[in-house]
Amino acid sequence: MIIKTYHYYIIRKFINKILLVSFIFLALIFFLNIFTEIKFLENYKVEFYFPIMLTALNTPSLVFETFPFIFFIATQLFFIDFYDNQELIIFKNFGIDNLKFITIISIISFCLGVLICLLFYNLSAGLKSSYLIFKNNFSKDNTYLAVVNENGLWIRDESNENIKIINAESFSNNLLNDISISVLNKKFYLIKTLKAKSAKIQNKEWILEKAYIFNEDGSKNYFENYKFKTNFDKKKINSLFSNLTSLNIFELINLKKDYINFGYSTLEIENHLHKLYSFPLYIVIMSVLSGIFMFNVKHNQSKTYNIIAGILFSVLIYYLNYFSNLLGVNERVPILLSNAFPLLILILICIIGMIRLNEK
């Protein structure tokens, strides 16, 4: 397709609105988030710039989540400008109808969606990772580390007395299977080793089943059930890797492979990846919906009314996505369907809205 002069004009104007709304959202998110960081650091002696630094690292990740709504509102402002300046009438006199406008907006939105997903998301994930590392240095839970790889789940759990290195081959329901635990003192001398067929981890006092304990003096003990205290329970283990926004796309794919090797559920990773893969389409749908909305409202209504109505509509879309994703993660419906269903509903609304678009 040959890009004409009016294409450049529409593209420039639309991108300007995207940048304007993005900056407003960025400022609002930064302003609201900085109070959270100040509250978190109030009991620590840190330099004044620490809350600012933490907020700056965390904000891009939060902005990424709001991009569909940024595009919706930016499209509203784009059309409000065209109505105010009577430019839509001028374009229509030159044969550029409403459908052509929506098509141009859709192409721009798709291209920007791809760039945001590939560049902005990976950048925000790197910053989020740094944010979590910095924040963990101040957290009371920084005495443990955990990782999942091809050798299973590895946990470093530290208490006042000793350090525990825990390895399990698989995780199902409330059980860690084929578990081994090395207990070290603060100087990293081995005190004892525990091996068990499984461990019930519903609370922080694990029940090791069919456990063998190999002591420092070479003696060995067997317990049908052995109580073992840690800082971890099922909830904490499940939450260790839940902050997927700190991983870029390639890290997510590798983590999914590790989870498969470990026997750990990949539903949350698959759900997150599907959302990233469908992100450009989601952006296009939000822009198209906003355009259809603006073509169908009364042009003499106030800008504030139109934007508030658009925000309320965006909130409804957010909750539709949220509940659908919840059904997928909880295995009520297939994960692919849980991501596709809201998009299919929105696409259907778009098709219905575009049928008589040129009559507006």
Side-chain angles (χ1 to χ4, degrees):
M1 183 181 75
I2 300 173
I3 299 179
K4 300 178 181 179
T5 304
Y6 75 87
H7 289 149
Y8 283 113
Y9 179 75
I10 293 172
I11 291 169
R12 186 177 70 253
K13 197 158 190 174
F14 185 63
I15 290 176
N16 284 340
K17 295 301 179 186
I18 295 293
L19 292 174
L20 172 64
V21 179
S22 297
F23 177 79
I24 292 171
F25 269 72
L26 179 70
L28 284 173
I29 291 170
F30 187 92
F31 179 75
L32 293 172
N33 197 47
I34 197 168
F35 291 106
T36 304
E37 303 304 339
I38 291 172
K39 177 73 174 175
F40 176 80
L41 294 169
E42 64 181 355
N43 295 322
Y44 300 96
K45 292 182 179 180
V46 295
E47 299 293 337
F48 73 94
Y49 60 82
F50 257 79
I52 299 173
M53 181 187 69
L54 287 176
T55 304
L57 291 173
N58 192 36
T59 298
S61 177
L62 300 175
V63 170
F64 178 82
E65 300 293 329
T66 65
F67 265 121
F69 313 111
I70 288 173
F71 272 75
F72 192 96
I73 295 171
T75 305
Q76 283 186 290
L77 295 177
F78 171 81
F79 279 105
I80 287 172
D81 257 14
F82 269 71
Y83 281 129
D84 287 348
N85 299 326
Q86 302 294 317
E87 289 175 310
L88 276 177
I89 297 172
I90 297 171
F91 275 103
K92 283 183 180 180
N93 291 334
F94 283 92
I96 302 163
D97 56 27
N98 296 342
L99 192 58
K100 239 175 208 181
F101 254 101
I102 293 295
T103 302
I104 295 169
I105 294 299
S106 300
I107 294 170
I108 301 169
S109 298
F110 182 81
C111 294
L112 290 175
V114 171
L115 288 174
I116 290 169
C117 196
L118 291 177
L119 301 179
F120 186 88
Y121 172 77
N122 287 329
L123 173 64
S124 69
L127 295 175
K128 183 79 170 186
S129 179
S130 299
Y131 166 80
L132 293 174
I133 291 170
F134 272 112
K135 202 158 186 178
N136 188 57
N137 291 332
F138 298 98
S139 172
K140 294 178 182 179
D141 289 333
N142 65 355
T143 54
Y144 66 79
L145 297 170
V147 67
V148 168
N149 58 32
E150 64 276 6
N151 296 316
L153 172 69
W154 289 88
I155 297 173
R156 180 182 184 272
D157 184 12
E158 185 175 336
S159 62
N160 293 330
E161 299 81 21
N162 48 48
I163 300 166
K164 302 152 191 169
I165 308 297
I166 303 166
N167 173 235
E169 288 188 7
S170 63
F171 178 34
S172 60
N173 298 323
N174 295 327
L175 294 177
L176 286 173
N177 301 308
D178 295 321
I179 185 170
S180 65
I181 304 170
S182 299
V183 181
L184 313 170
N185 63 20
K186 290 295 184 178
K187 294 182 179 180
F188 292 94
Y189 289 111
L190 182 66
I191 300 173
K192 60 183 176 181
T193 302
L194 299 89
K195 291 185 179 292
K197 183 179 179 182
S198 61
K200 293 181 181 178
I201 59 167
Q202 196 157 3
N203 52 52
K204 293 182 180 180
E205 187 173 79
W206 295 1
I207 305 298
L208 305 183
E209 298 179 342
K210 297 182 180 179
Y212 288 91
I213 299 178
F214 301 90
N215 298 304
E216 187 181 12
D217 59 8
S219 62
K220 181 174 72 171
N221 303 103
Y222 173 78
F223 297 89
E224 191 67 28
N225 291 292
Y226 181 81
K227 292 181 179 180
F228 182 78
K229 291 185 178 181
T230 76
N231 290 313
F232 288 82
D233 53 16
K234 180 185 176 183
K235 183 179 179 181
K236 182 172 283 188
I237 289 178
N238 279 328
S239 67
L240 285 174
F241 313 100
S242 62
N243 204 325
L244 300 176
T245 57
S246 64
L247 302 175
N248 62 43
I249 294 174
F250 306 105
E251 290 171 334
L252 285 167
I253 293 170
N254 289 331
L255 182 62
K256 180 182 175 183
K257 292 176 183 176
D258 291 337
Y259 272 34
I260 291 171
N261 291 332
F262 177 49
Y264 193 78
S265 173
T266 61
L267 283 175
E268 288 192 16
I269 299 176
E270 288 178 16
N271 182 57
H272 193 69
L273 283 170
H274 283 311
K275 285 197 289 187
L276 290 177
Y277 296 152
S278 61
F279 181 81
L281 178 60
Y282 189 18
I283 291 294
V284 170
I285 290 170
M286 294 298 283
S287 298
V288 171
L289 280 173
S290 181
I292 293 171
F293 176 80
M294 293 305 298
F295 279 124
N296 282 276
V297 298
K298 293 180 180 179
H299 305 152
N300 57 357
Q301 288 175 335
S302 70
K303 297 177 185 178
T304 305
Y305 171 84
N306 288 332
I307 292 174
I308 290 174
I311 291 172
L312 291 175
F313 187 70
S314 298
V315 171
L316 289 175
I317 294 173
Y318 170 81
Y319 279 108
L320 174 65
N321 267 305
Y322 175 78
F323 287 119
S324 183
N325 288 331
L326 207 59
L327 290 173
V329 172
N330 291 329
E331 301 183 71
R332 301 293 183 183
V333 297
I335 198 73
L336 184 59
L337 180 61
S338 72
N339 281 279
F341 178 72
L343 295 179
L344 291 173
I345 294 293
L346 296 175
I347 288 171
L348 183 61
I349 295 172
C350 287
I351 292 171
I352 294 171
M354 292 175 69
I355 289 175
R356 301 179 63 183
L357 191 65
N358 283 332
E359 297 178 14
K360 302 297 180 182

